[in-house]
Amino acid sequence: MSDSTPQNPAPEPGAYPPVPPAPGAAQPAPQATPGAYPPPAQGAYPPAYGAPAPGAAPPYGTAPAYGAAPAYGSTPGYGAPAKTNTLAIVSLIASISGFVILPFIGSVVGVITGHMSLSQLKTSGEQGRGMALAGTIVGWVGLGLAILGIIAAIAFFAFFVSVYQQTGGTY
C-alpha cells in the first residue's frame, strides 16, 4: 500500500542508492586505492535472515548436534538433579543439636542416622554423603565429649565425697 498523496509524493526514480548484489552473485573486482582496507573475503557477509550464524547456538527447543558441547546456561544430561538423602540431613541436625540442646541424645541420634544414611547412599543415587559423614563424625565427637563430661563429673563428686569423709563433715 503506497502513501503517494499530495502531502507525501512518491520518491523519484534514482533517489535511493543502488542495492548491492546478493552475496552469491558475481561481483566486479574492487579497485585498489592506496592506503585503503582490503575488500572482505568471499562468504564474509552475514547469513541470510533466519539462517543460523556459523558457530551459533541452535534455536530454542532443538537439540544440539551430535558431539557438540551444550550451550551456555544449559545443564548437561536430562531430568531433575538427584535429591538429598533425608537421613543425612537428620544426622547433621541431630549431631549439631547434640552440642547445643541435647548433649547425649542428639549425638546418639546423629550417629545412628548417619550410619543408616551412609548405607542407603551406597545403593541409591541420592546426594548427601558429605552431610552424612559430617553428622556421623560430629555425633561421635559429641558422644566422646559427653562421656568425658560424665567421667569428669563423677571424679569431681568423688573428690568432694572423699574430702568430706576425711574432714568429718567440717570445713
Side-chain angles (χ1 to χ4, degrees), residues 87-102:
L87 282 178
I89 298 170
V90 169
S91 170
L92 186 60
I93 292 173
S95 296
I96 292 172
S97 72
F99 276 106
V100 180
I101 301 169
L102 304 168

Side-chain angles (χ1 to χ4, degrees), residues 12-99:
E12 297 292 325
Y16 295 112
V19 177
Q27 298 177 357
Q31 307 220 344
T33 56
Y37 289 108
Q42 185 68 17
Y45 293 105
Y49 180 76
Y60 181 76
T62 60
Y66 178 75
Y72 178 76
S74 67
T75 57
Y78 299 101
K83 70 175 198 149
T84 304
N85 191 311
T86 307
L87 282 178
I89 298 170
V90 169
S91 170
L92 186 60
I93 292 173
S95 296
I96 292 172
S97 72
F99 276 106

